[in-house]
Amino acid sequence: MLQYGFLKNAFLAGGMIALIAPVIGVYIVLRRQSLVAETLSHVSLAGVALGALLGYYPMLTGMAAALFGAILVDTLRRSFRSYSELSIAILMSGGLATALVLMSMNQGVSRSFTSYLFGSIIAVNATDLMVMAGVMVLCALFFFFLWRPMYVLTFDEETAEVSGIPTRWLSLSFSLLTGLVVAVSMPIVGVLLVSSLMVLPAAIALRLSKGFTLAVVLAVVIGLVGVLSGLTLSFYQDIPPGGTIVLVLIGILIAVLGIKRLVLFFQTRFGSKEDAGMVASKTVEER
C-alpha cells in the first residue's frame, strides 16, 4: 500500500503526530485539563474555516486561531479560578459557532469540511508535512529544556511558584504548544476526535506504569501503534482514519483494563492470604 504517495504522506504525518500528541496528553491528563484539547480543536476549526473562506492556507489560519484560543483559555482560567471549566465551555461553544457561521458563507467550503471534521487519509500534502515537522521540532526543544520545570508544575503548581519557576508563562507556553499540536493533528484525526489522540494513549500508559517517564514512553508507543494500525485499517476498509484510530485506541484500553482485572482475579483467588490482602488494599487505593 505504500506505493501510493498520499499514503506515504499520511503515515509520515501520523507518525509525527503520534510522537508528540501523547506526550502533551500525559501532561494535560495529569493537570486535569483533558477538555482543553477539545476546546482548542473547535477554535482551530474556526480558523480553518476563515482561511478557506479568504483563500489562505487553512492549517496556518487554524494554528493562529488555536494560539489565540490557548491565550484565551489561560486568561479565562485565571479570571474564573473557582469555575475553571467555564472558560472551556465558553470557548468550545464560541469556536464551533464561529466555524458554522463561516462555513455557511461558502457552500463549496462547507462541503469540503468533512476531512477536517473526521480526518482524511488523502488530506495531507507536502506543505502539511513540513509544518508538522516544524511543530515536532518545537515540541522536542520545549520538553528538552523545560522537562523538569513542567514536571514540577504538573504535580504541584504552588511548589513550582515558590521554587522560582515562572508558572504563569510556563503554563501559557504549554497551552500554546498544545494549540499547535491540535491544529496540525486535524488532517489525520479530525477536529471532533483530535483530543482522543492525546488523552487515550495517556490514559492507557498511566494505567500501566507507575513512573512518570515510563508513562510518557508508553504513551508514545501506544500512540504509534494506534495511529499506524488505524491508518492501515482505514486504507483497506475505506473508512475515516480518525474514527478508526480512536476505535483502535479504545480497543487497547479495554484490553488493558480487562487483562488487569483478570490478573487481579487470579491473584486474589489463587494467591496466598497475605498476597490477597495486599492486592485488595492496592485495589482500594487505586479506586
Side-chain angles (χ1 to χ4, degrees), residues 250-263:
I250 291 176
I252 295 173
L253 177 61
I254 293 173
V256 168
L257 294 178
I259 291 171
K260 292 202 73 172
R261 288 284 183 181
L262 285 175
V263 171

Side-chain angles (χ1 to χ4, degrees), residues 4 6 37 79 94 120 122 143 149 182 185 194 216 223 255 286:
Y4 300 103
F6 71 89
S79 300
S120 174
I122 61 174
F143 288 113
V182 166
S185 301
V194 66
V216 172
E286 287 182 351

Side-chain angles (χ1 to χ4, degrees), residues 30 60 68 81 113 133 146 190 196 219 244 275:
L30 291 175
L60 185 61
F68 179 69
R81 288 185 178 272
F113 255 62
L146 300 174
S196 302
T244 310
D275 292 339

Side-chain angles (χ1 to χ4, degrees), residues 264-285:
L264 180 63
F265 172 78
F266 283 110
Q267 284 180 339
T268 54
R269 184 69 180 272
F270 302 107
S272 64
K273 292 184 178 180
E274 292 184 1
D275 292 339
M278 292 176 61
V279 170
S281 176
K282 184 178 179 181
T283 304
V284 171
E285 290 179 1

Side-chain angles (χ1 to χ4, degrees), residues 166-177:
T167 56
R168 181 174 182 179
W169 293 108
L170 187 60
S171 179
L172 178 60
S173 301
F174 178 74
S175 296
L176 293 173
L177 194 66

Side-chain angles (χ1 to χ4, degrees), residues 145-165:
F145 290 106
L146 300 174
W147 178 275
R148 185 64 183 175
M150 275 301 304
Y151 177 84
V152 178
L153 177 66
T154 298
F155 287 98
D156 194 339
E157 189 168 347
E158 292 183 359
T159 300
E161 193 167 353
V162 171
S163 302
I165 297 173

Side-chain angles (χ1 to χ4, degrees), residues 74-95:
D74 194 72
T75 302
L76 290 174
R77 185 172 63 87
R78 295 180 183 278
S79 300
F80 299 98
R81 288 185 178 272
S82 301
Y83 308 97
S84 57
E85 73 280 359
L86 188 61
S87 61
I88 293 176
I90 293 172
L91 286 178
M92 186 181 294
S93 56

